Amino acid sequence: MGFFGDLKREFFTLKELLRVTREVGWIKPDSQKLTPDHLEEIVDAHLELPAFITDDRTISYAEYDAYANQVAHWALEQGLKPGDVVAVFLTNRWEYVPIWVGLSKIGVVAALLNNQITGNSLAHCLNISGANVAIIDGELTEAYASACDLIDCEMAPHVMDGAAGSGERDFDTEVAAQPSERPSREHRAGITAKEPCLKMYTSGTTGLPKAAIIAHTRTMYYLNIFASGANAGPGDRMMMVLPLYHSTGGLCGVGFGISRGGAVIVRKKFSASAFWDECVTFEATLFMYVGELCRFLLAAPETPNETRHSIRCMIGNGLRPDVWERFVDRFKMPRVMEFYGATEGNVGLVNLDSRPGAIGRIPPWLKWRFNVELVAFDLEKEVPIRDADGRCRRTEPGEVGEAVGRIDPDDTRFRFDGYQNKAENEKKILRDVFKPGDAWFRTGDLMKRDKDGYFYFIDRIGDTFRWKSENVSTNEVAEALGHYPGVQQANVYGVPVPGHNGKAGMAALVVGEGFDLDGLQSHVAEALPGYARPLFYRIQTQTDTTGTFKFRKLDLVRDGFDPANISDPLWFAEPEGSMRPLDREVHDALVSGTIRV
């Protein structure tokens, strides 16, 4: 880059980090300023400006706040009080954010459920939510019904869009009857910012999703930090095609709009063919991405509007180096702001200067201001390496290690509020890392950094892998497969597929009498969400295990889905639902992208 280029980069980094730090410095754990207080201040400053934009209407800040107030009064009418939980099971819609904001106005915590799950997974999330009241999208009543018999507690369902059935309540009618004035702040008096605002769910590595506690500090931080980094303002419009139940879309992305006087363009789902036309139609200036979304856009046919848009910055994660520069070049993207973070974690990185492939940067001269370290890692044993004194070693530039974050309960950025299940928290904490008594959050991610302080994502540790921008638990998939007649053993793992982020699911099965391959797909479709369904199957006569009867996966992962490496029968689960023998022709078509998955 050269001396003057380096100097320019460091000046930019310092200026941006100082500005961002200043703009979120007011968020303190012991403060009584909560998420609804912060958002009400923003509403009052932008009453007539658009806050949410849909196909058929624009909702002003005044209207969004009025709806949130009605939701708060509705919750009071239900007898809800501070600390109570309401399960929110909705598709993307403009009311989504005002609903959880309204609940927070009286200290009620919203548990935001993944709208792709059904059956046992959905029932599990409802059971651990602590809720006995649920708000359900009319489109999701069938999915909710699939979980009803498995719910432990008595749940009062309130359904939107006039879809309420027997035993259910009409949420829209109930809310419309409520006053639109703000409820007294006394309803949330005494709550501090370190207490829960939301619950969000993460797959983790144990099989079923875990509930992560999102305190007001983290909620406000997510709503503001990335908007600050992109210097968002009232003229910005965020194109939101990511799910609002997740922190990336529902907090970070939404924050670009409603924390800065801008607007959020709410789309029910992502369409690669319509995306750029929608960006032009709705005059989007920002969009929130995940890596797979960018791959879909690159694979779509060219359209005139893909370079006529007004987007000035794209923000997200998972944009891999092989896609980054092609995406920027084709779609004339002025700025990419890649970031790294976890819903429940305390490690955050952001790439402010658009270095291709980097997930963030910590300048060496500013390292003391951050809590992130990479520790040397034993890939075979899947644990950090410790020396004779029991201490971990920081990696050298270019060396791969696990990212960990120092836990500091007094710093908003470095707190670890963790999961609802406290036993799960200990699994994520690494102790006595560099000195006796210190505690660090384990991200479970392998990274490397270069001499200039840029960080690069390498892979996830352990059995959980990512596919279609979602975490897939091998235990949950194996359990679902194990319920199918004739499946004696199911060993599930992820395999890379050229041209795709993350890893696709593959299952090595040992089967016996009663196994019907043709019916397996129907069973899997009922038991698992689309992203968790295995793409490849390997039929074995026996499964290799360790001395403690744990499945060995290293050789299976190394073999992948290449028939040249495997003598066992292989099958490919086609998207339309049929099973196809995975021979050389099919393998080569998958590798070349002729067959899309």
Side-chain angles (χ1 to χ4, degrees), residues 425-446:
N425 290 345
E426 276 304 309
K427 298 177 183 179
K428 300 295 289 185
I429 298 175
L430 197 63
R431 300 187 184 278
D432 303 320
V433 179
F434 301 115
K435 62 182 181 180
D438 64 355
W440 296 69
F441 169 75
R442 293 192 64 183
T443 66
D445 289 325
L446 298 174

Side-chain angles (χ1 to χ4, degrees), residues 83 104 107-110 191-199 213-216 219:
S104 75
V108 171
V109 177
I191 301 174
T192 60
K194 62 187 174 188
E195 295 180 58
C197 176
L198 299 168
K199 291 183 182 180
I213 297 171
I214 313 299
H216 286 275
T219 303

Side-chain angles (χ1 to χ4, degrees), residues 320 359 399-401 445-448 456-460 503:
R320 305 294 286 175
I359 60 174
E399 181 184 3
V400 175
D445 289 325
L446 298 174
M447 302 179 190
K448 66 179 180 181
Y456 300 86
F457 179 82
I458 302 299
D459 207 351
R460 288 286 296 170
K503 296 179 179 179

Side-chain angles (χ1 to χ4, degrees), residues 220-432:
M220 292 187 286
Y221 190 76
Y222 282 164
L223 286 170
N224 285 276
I225 187 67
F226 300 106
S228 177
N231 207 15
D236 279 311
R237 293 187 171 194
M238 163 59 70
M239 174 58 71
M240 181 49 61
V241 296
L242 300 182
L244 293 174
Y245 61 74
H246 194 266
S247 59
T248 300
L251 291 180
C252 303
V254 165
F256 278 96
I258 66 169
S259 68
R260 296 290 167 130
V264 180
I265 304 162
V266 181
R267 312 304 296 157
K268 190 168 289 289
K269 59 182 65 175
F270 166 68
S271 167
S273 61
F275 180 79
W276 297 110
D277 293 338
E278 292 174 348
C279 286
V280 171
T281 298
F282 294 107
E283 300 178 337
T285 61
L286 305 162
F287 89 89
M288 205 83 188
Y289 70 84
V290 291
E292 202 65 30
L293 180 153
C294 297
R295 288 184 183 274
F296 288 144
L297 290 173
L298 272 176
E302 292 187 11
T303 172
N305 280 335
E306 69 182 38
T307 57
R308 293 176 181 168
H309 60 80
S310 301
I311 292 174
R312 64 177 183 83
C313 182
M314 55 185 277
I315 309 95
N317 50 60
L319 188 63
R320 305 294 286 175
D322 61 319
V323 170
W324 192 305
E325 292 182 337
R326 287 190 293 137
F327 191 94
V328 169
D329 181 65
R330 174 175 167 181
F331 301 118
K332 311 304 178 197
M333 194 58 55
R335 185 182 181 191
V336 178
M337 204 167 85
E338 174 87 2
F339 71 87
Y340 169 85
T343 299
E344 77 282 18
N346 71 344
V347 172
L349 297 164
V350 61
N351 182 349
L352 292 170
D353 60 355
S354 300
R355 170 69 68 92
I359 60 174
R361 180 175 184 242
I362 299 177
W365 47 269
L366 205 56
K367 193 171 181 294
W368 63 277
R369 287 283 294 159
F370 292 82
N371 72 328
V372 185
E373 291 286 358
L374 302 184
V375 295
F377 193 80
D378 187 322
L379 290 171
E380 189 71 27
K381 296 179 181 178
E382 295 188 346
V383 294
I385 298 170
R386 292 184 183 263
D387 61 20
D389 296 324
R391 303 292 174 254
C392 296
R393 176 179 62 81
R394 295 175 173 87
T395 61
E396 299 295 328
E399 181 184 3
V400 175
E402 181 182 1
V404 296
R406 177 174 50 81
I407 297 172
D408 183 350
D410 296 324
D411 191 312
T412 299
R413 299 171 299 161
F414 306 152
R415 291 176 58 84
F416 174 51
D417 298 305
Y419 304 109
Q420 181 173 282
N421 184 336
K422 299 305 180 184
E424 295 290 345
N425 290 345
E426 276 304 309
K427 298 177 183 179
K428 300 295 289 185
I429 298 175
L430 197 63
R431 300 187 184 278
D432 303 320

